[in-house]
Amino acid sequence: MRYISTRGEAPVLSFTDALLAGLARDGGLYVPETFPQLSAGEIAGFAGQPYARVAETVIGPFADSEFEAGALRTMIEAAYGQFRHPAVTPLSQIGDNLFILELFHGPTLAFKDVAMQLLGRMMDHALKARGERATIVGATSGDTGAAAIEAFRGLEQVDVFIMYPHGRVSDVQRRQMTGVDAPNIHAIAVEGTFDDCQNILKGLFNDHAFRDGLKLSGVNSINWARVVAQTVYYFTSAVVLGSPHRPVSFTVPTGNFGDILAGYIAKRMGLPVDRLVIATNENDILARTLDTGVYEMASVTPTQSPSMDIQISSNFERLMFEAGGRDPAIVRALMASLRQSGRFTLPTQMLGAIRAEFDAYRTGETGTAKEMARVFADCGQLIDPHTAVAVHAARKALARDPSVPMVVLGTAHPAKFGDAVKKATGRTAPLPQHLAELVAAREHFTVLPNEQGAIERFVRERARAAGA
Ligand SMILES: Cc1ncc(COP(=O)(O)O)c(C=O)c1O
Ligand SMILES: N[C@@H](CCOP(=O)(O)O)C(=O)O
């Protein structure tokens, strides 16, 4: 399988090259040249299979022969052996035809672990095979950073630099990043928002001298391997609910658009997905875009679901590429407009193609808190504020078509957002023991200004790949 850039001006790469590259050199995102197809029979065969077996079948065609025989299976088994639930991503039911897909049973209690546990192993494997080192940079609103630090800490081949918005992540999220004392891990508190961190991240990749000198690599969902690993749980959950004989819809709490894009990819691979529902908090740029056709940035409002406090939703670019008939010139023009004026208008055909697959709903702060309280009152289940945003949206979507089962992606454990959960429900979700110890540990982090130059200097001084 070969990978092309959404902007059409970067080298075509293999899976492992795209894995190690992160962002394409033209500023675009890598996508596969074609989507592998799974037949109804193959999907039906997933019923009763362990998660790791399904992962091997779904991910295998994207990476095909790039790992030596048995290596992908070994990495997948090791990655999902880290999860605290035997089903890896179990489903629970909270209402008529309404289900939560629990994606938070990994080491850092968020859906990011599902992809990151595998990504860490694949990168380490590829780097060792090439005898190379890499400098991994990441931008996080809290969860990606913790998952990356957990997956990469102590690894010989990589140094990891994670930028997070100073003062805008939950206490547990911050301590999961800053409580790790490992020589290859660097937590950077940037004086800005998550969008600022992500802009700097893209700036680092677009500075080709810096990028090449440091052998830069990325673990955000701009990395295609992240998205493909997240595709697996759409298959496992839909099959439990009767697919491929029955369509299933999904509602996804959305920020950078990686998680819901994975659902779209699953559909393109043959999974009978009915609707894909984008759930946003008050930072509702995507809901506005689907409504009006205009993607227009506004300022970021801090909310109790901080991981979705975002205006630049990177993976929307991959969807625009698909919905625009894979024409990179259209994507380049729209992204240039965003850079210049903070907005773009989707061409009519592209907007129509997106609306044919996606719906979008916004949930405000009061609705989020009420939803946490309602799910607790109805089912005795604590859910985190990101999941609550999505349950609220899912109820609206279900009211329009109650006949299709709706799966809400439960993206974080309630204990990660203890204050918001307690305020809404009066209850405390206890942290698992291994995290209780970590969040009590001494914190290690550096506060830096919201300037690409300052981050470049910091990374250059500390990265072991510098000059390698
Ligand atoms: C808990 C949680 N929910 C939802 C999201 C949004 O996911 P995505 O950025 O893939 O849209 C994030 C961050 O990515 C998150 O950490
Ligand atoms: N909400 C995310 C933001 C980055 O998302 P990613 O999926 O692109 O890594 C976070 O928790 O950091």
Side-chain angles (χ1 to χ4, degrees):
M1 178 73 74
R2 287 156 25 112
Y3 290 83
I4 54 174
S5 165
T6 49
R7 302 201 192 167
E9 295 181 330
V12 175
L13 299 183
S14 67
F15 178 78
T16 38
D17 283 336
L19 167 75
L20 295 175
L23 196 69
R25 288 181 90 80
D26 58 2
L29 305 182
Y30 276 109
V31 290
E33 261 182 344
T34 56
F35 291 111
Q37 296 300 302
L38 293 174
S39 68
E42 282 172 299
I43 295 172
F46 290 159
Q49 291 289 323
Y51 188 92
R53 282 289 84 72
V54 179
E56 211 183 322
T57 309
V58 173
I59 298 170
F62 289 98
D64 42 44
S65 53
E66 289 191 45
F67 296 109
E68 70 276 12
L72 186 61
R73 169 172 291 194
T74 306
M75 288 187 277
I76 286 175
E77 280 176 353
Y80 299 118
Q82 299 296 312
F83 280 63
R84 294 182 315 284
H85 196 288
V88 180
T89 59
L91 270 180
S92 59
Q93 184 161 15
I94 58 162
D96 284 348
N97 254 351
L98 184 56
F99 302 85
I100 293 185
L101 176 59
E102 298 179 4
L103 300 174
F104 45 74
H105 294 286
T108 69
L109 312 185
F111 79 96
K112 310 289 178 166
D113 290 322
V114 180
M116 206 66 83
Q117 282 297 317
L118 183 59
L119 197 77
R121 289 175 168 80
M122 290 199 292
M123 276 194 173
D124 195 47
H125 188 93
L127 287 167
K128 278 189 178 134
R130 295 169 180 213
E132 289 176 6
R133 321 183 48 82
T135 305
I136 290 175
V137 287
T140 187
S141 49
D143 289 333
T144 292
I149 286 171
E150 174 62 30
F152 288 93
R153 68 186 192 172
L155 292 187
E156 252 313 296
Q157 311 300 119
V158 293
D159 291 307
V160 179
F161 294 83
I162 298 293
M163 295 175 276
Y164 65 91
H166 195 27
R168 288 173 181 253
V169 299
S170 83
D171 261 17
V172 172
Q173 285 180 312
R174 191 192 68 251
R175 287 177 169 276
Q176 280 183 309
M177 295 186 278
T178 61
V180 173
D181 185 11
N184 71 328
I185 299 296
H186 308 273
I188 306 173
V190 175
E191 291 170 318
T193 64
F194 168 73
D195 287 316
D196 295 324
C197 297
Q198 190 162 235
N199 279 336
I200 293 176
L201 178 78
K202 290 181 181 169
L204 298 179
F205 276 100
N206 289 330
D207 178 343
H208 289 175
F210 181 80
R211 172 185 186 144
D212 295 340
L214 275 282
K215 301 194 168 42
L216 228 53
S217 195
V219 290
N220 281 100
S221 56
I222 54 175
N223 192 317
W224 171 256
R226 275 278 310 279
V227 176
V228 78
Q230 290 173 199
T231 300
V232 177
Y233 44 71
Y234 286 89
F235 284 96
T236 57
S237 57
V239 164
V240 168
L241 297 174
S243 280
H245 313 296
R246 192 184 182 205
V248 175
S249 293
F250 291 89
T251 303
V252 186
T254 295
N256 227 2
F257 210 77
D259 215 8
I260 196 159
L261 182 88
Y264 172 80
I265 305 301
K267 186 172 185 178
R268 293 290 299 267
M269 292 174 72
L271 187 69
V273 175
D274 184 26
R275 304 300 298 166
L276 287 162
V277 182
I278 301 165
T280 76
N281 65 21
E282 290 182 3
N283 298 290
D284 61 352
I285 186 161
L286 290 169
R288 284 186 283 114
T289 305
L290 257 76
D291 197 23
T292 64
V294 181
Y295 187 105
E296 183 158 36
M297 287 173 55
S299 58
V300 177
T301 308
T303 70
Q304 62 198 306
S305 47
S307 299
M308 292 151 69
D309 293 349
I310 174 171
Q311 293 293 313
I312 303 170
S313 189
S314 292
N315 281 287
F316 198 64
E317 176 167 342
R318 285 188 168 117
L319 179 63
M320 294 193 308
F321 183 66
E322 300 301 334
R326 296 199 138 204
D327 182 346
I330 302 180
V331 175
R332 281 201 301 275
L334 295 178
M335 297 315 288
S337 165
L338 184 66
R339 238 185 352 267
Q340 280 151 20
S341 61
R343 71 198 297 273
F344 57 75
T345 302
L346 292 173
T348 312
Q349 171 276 332
M350 189 187 280
L351 179 61
I354 292 173
R355 282 179 176 159
E357 314 273 357
F358 291 84
D359 298 304
Y361 297 99
R362 165 196 197 273
T363 303
E365 289 292 85
T366 311
T368 305
K370 278 191 180 155
E371 195 57 71
M372 284 188 272
R374 176 171 174 185
V375 172
F376 183 64
D378 288 356
C379 320
Q381 191 169 332
L382 293 176
I383 58 171
D384 95 285
H386 304 77
T387 306
V389 164
V391 173
H392 203 69
R395 291 191 201 278
K396 292 184 192 161
L398 253 186
R400 284 173 61 175
D401 183 359
S403 67
V404 178
M406 174 63 77
V407 176
V408 172
L409 270 56
T411 48
H413 190 287
K416 285 194 98 164
F417 301 93
D419 292 347
V421 171
K422 177 109 202 273
K423 211 165 150 199
T425 64
R427 299 301 168 115
T428 304
L431 272 175
Q433 185 55 29
H434 73 284
L435 279 182
E437 282 159 20
L438 181 64
V439 298
R442 197 176 136 235
E443 295 192 62
H444 308 265
F445 63 99
T446 306
V447 181
L448 289 178
N450 173 18
E451 285 166 22
Q452 186 175 329
I455 309 289
E456 286 198 357
R457 279 191 295 283
F458 183 84
V459 175
R460 203 175 269 121
E461 278 163 19
R462 286 165 177 75
R464 291 173 294 178

